[in-house]
Amino acid sequence: MTAIPFARLHATAAAALLLGGCAAGPAYERPSTPEPAVFKEAAKGWAPAQPADMLEKGPWWTLFGDPVLNELASQVEVSNQNVAAAVASYAQARALVQEQRASLFPEIGLNTSADRSGGKQAATESRYRLSIGGSWEPDIWGRLRAGVGAASAGAEASAADLAAARLSAQGELAVNYFLVREADAQLALLATTIEGYQRVLTITQNRFDAGIVAKSDVLQARTQLANAQGDQLTIARQRAQFENAIAILVGKAPSGFSLAVAPWTGTVPDIPVGLPSTLLERRPDIAAAERRVAAANQQIGIARSAYYPSIGLSGSYGTGGSRVSDLFSVSNALWSFGLSAAQSIFNAGATRANVAGAEAQHQVTVARYRQTVLAAFGDVENQLAAARILASQQMLRKQASDAADQVETQMLNRYKAGQVGYSEVVLAQASALSARRALVQVQADRQATAVALIQSIGGGWNAGK
């Protein structure tokens, strides 16, 4: 039996591999972005970001010190269907990477066949065949490696999309949770106010019955009470909507989910000096956009590889005969080895158009990446400004609420003494209620702004320490 020419096979394969350095794609460089030296709203010592987007973000919601929120936020990753879909997309992207990597290696197959033939004028004959063969396309021009690189970058972008979906769902849950607690605080405030209005209505009714005041005072008191009761129902409706939104975020049917009234933990995390230096390190949408630039860059190499011939190697070894025992007979062995090459001679500029399209798509991803970075810096500026202004606003709202409470008390006492009309009491009561509700609102706004700031930097600022 003549030996299979493995030396010739190895020589051909080695020659193909030596050509593998002729990569068709451009070298990848991260696109430049306009990074400010400092933030407009930054405290002294804040610095621009350095990319490190896969840092662990950690349970940032614990910064608010609310055990109920901690429990709910931990359920988002395992129950939220949007996050589940992102997890599945990431698994799909990783499978694509494995598929692309498999193309770098030879494909080997085992083939067997058996047939029996005969006729009136021919003897019945059986034939059996067994062969093992393989084929391999050497990655001479880097097309296959570019495919692996594009798939890997796509998987990394998918991982960042997963992080973004998780962060978005957690942030939305936190905001809805704080809105529920704000509604609880508003309802408690209105309940107290309604009790006061009912007492005033009783006093006014008694004074009217005694002929001290006019009927209009009673009507004004009833109007004030009814409006407060109507506001109470409006807040109750809004609370139900926020509660249902939380149920959906944690993957539960709203009909089977309820959130008990609890004291409002109004904690607002302090913003440490140096916070914005972690911006680009932590935002998953920036990471995803940059990885898509890398994937688009690899697609240029894949498109350019069409300018060069595709080369394939194939070989097989097998046996055959009229008996099953012939399959194991060396004398019946057959082998083959082949080398193929194919090159497009004319395609009316289709290859050039594909390359131009890939380059244009790369520019699209670069522009989107830069826009994402700009939007990220804008988000941080907005939330830093909001956090600073709301902190000052809360102090002013507190002062206004305290003053309005005193005015309400004084006006009610003067009304009882017959010194002022009831219309002045109504104005004082309305002003006091508005000031109290505004104070509750600004407290909720501060917490929502803290959540938005955490989202704008891609995670909590205690994470990764």
Side-chain angles (χ1 to χ4, degrees), residues 1 48 99 107 232 258 316 324 376 420 453:
M1 181 187 73
E99 178 183 353
E107 180 179 346
Q232 188 179 43
S258 63
S316 66
V324 173
V420 297
L453 179 57

Side-chain angles (χ1 to χ4, degrees), residues 81-397:
Q81 297 307 303
N82 290 329
V83 176
V87 170
S89 296
Y90 177 50
Q92 182 182 28
R94 292 184 62 185
L96 180 60
V97 175
Q98 295 298 323
E99 178 183 353
Q100 291 293 326
R101 284 178 178 167
S103 65
L104 295 172
F105 300 93
E107 180 179 346
I108 299 175
L110 178 66
N111 299 307
T112 61
S113 65
D115 61 78
R116 185 174 178 83
S117 60
K120 292 183 179 181
Q121 304 299 325
T124 301
E125 182 180 10
S126 299
R127 296 291 299 176
Y128 302 93
R129 298 177 184 84
L130 174 66
S131 65
I132 183 171
S135 62
W136 180 40
E137 181 181 352
D139 192 21
I140 296 176
W141 315 116
R143 178 178 63 85
L144 300 180
R145 290 196 305 279
V148 174
S152 299
E156 291 168 354
S158 183
D161 287 340
L162 170 58
R166 183 187 297 115
L167 179 61
S168 175
Q170 291 167 344
E172 186 177 354
L173 181 139
V175 169
N176 285 327
Y177 177 78
F178 293 137
L179 289 173
V180 166
R181 292 303 174 222
E182 179 197 356
D184 289 341
Q186 294 274 14
L187 289 171
L189 174 62
L190 285 168
T192 302
T193 300
I194 288 170
E195 289 179 2
Y197 286 177
Q198 288 172 334
R199 288 193 298 268
V200 172
L201 175 60
T202 300
I203 294 171
T204 306
Q205 184 68 50
N206 293 336
R207 289 171 64 84
F208 170 72
D209 293 341
I212 300 174
V213 298
K215 180 70 172 180
S216 59
D217 287 6
V218 177
L219 296 176
Q220 284 181 309
R222 287 177 179 172
T223 301
Q224 192 86 328
L225 175 60
N227 283 334
Q229 290 171 330
D231 289 344
Q232 188 179 43
L233 293 176
T234 299
I235 299 299
R237 174 180 60 83
Q238 292 173 348
R239 187 192 190 280
Q241 293 174 339
F242 300 141
E243 187 179 72
N244 293 339
I246 292 175
I248 294 171
L249 286 167
V250 298
K252 296 181 180 179
S255 60
F257 177 84
S258 63
L259 202 57
V261 176
W264 185 10
T265 303
T267 302
V268 178
D270 292 328
I271 304 171
V273 173
L275 170 61
S277 65
T278 62
L279 171 62
L280 289 183
E281 300 175 14
R282 308 172 71 82
R283 276 192 66 134
D285 58 337
I286 291 179
E290 186 276 330
R291 288 292 81 200
R292 290 190 170 91
V293 174
N297 187 77
Q298 297 287 2
Q299 291 296 331
I300 296 176
I302 295 174
R304 288 181 181 176
S305 66
Y307 283 122
Y308 308 103
S310 60
I311 298 176
L313 301 174
S314 62
S316 66
Y317 175 81
T319 59
S322 58
R323 299 185 304 273
V324 173
S325 59
D326 292 339
L327 298 177
F328 306 97
S329 174
V330 176
S331 60
N332 293 329
L334 296 172
W335 62 265
S336 68
F337 173 75
L339 173 65
S340 64
Q343 170 66 57
S344 175
I345 302 301
F346 176 75
N347 59 13
T351 301
R352 184 169 60 254
N354 287 336
V355 172
E359 291 173 343
Q361 181 60 34
H362 175 261
Q363 292 303 312
V364 169
T365 58
V366 168
R368 288 175 177 169
Y369 168 67
R370 289 173 174 159
Q371 185 62 32
T372 301
V373 172
L374 284 174
F377 281 111
D379 287 345
V380 174
E381 293 283 10
N382 291 338
Q383 304 313 323
L384 288 174
R388 174 179 56 81
I389 293 171
L390 287 171
S392 300
Q393 192 177 48
Q394 182 174 347
M395 293 188 292
L396 296 175
R397 294 295 189 192

Side-chain angles (χ1 to χ4, degrees), residues 391-406 435-436 438-440 442-443:
S392 300
Q393 192 177 48
Q394 182 174 347
M395 293 188 292
L396 296 175
R397 294 295 189 192
K398 182 66 168 62
Q399 295 173 8
S401 179
D402 292 342
D405 288 345
Q406 295 179 32
R436 295 184 200 117
L439 178 58
V440 172
V442 75
Q443 290 172 331

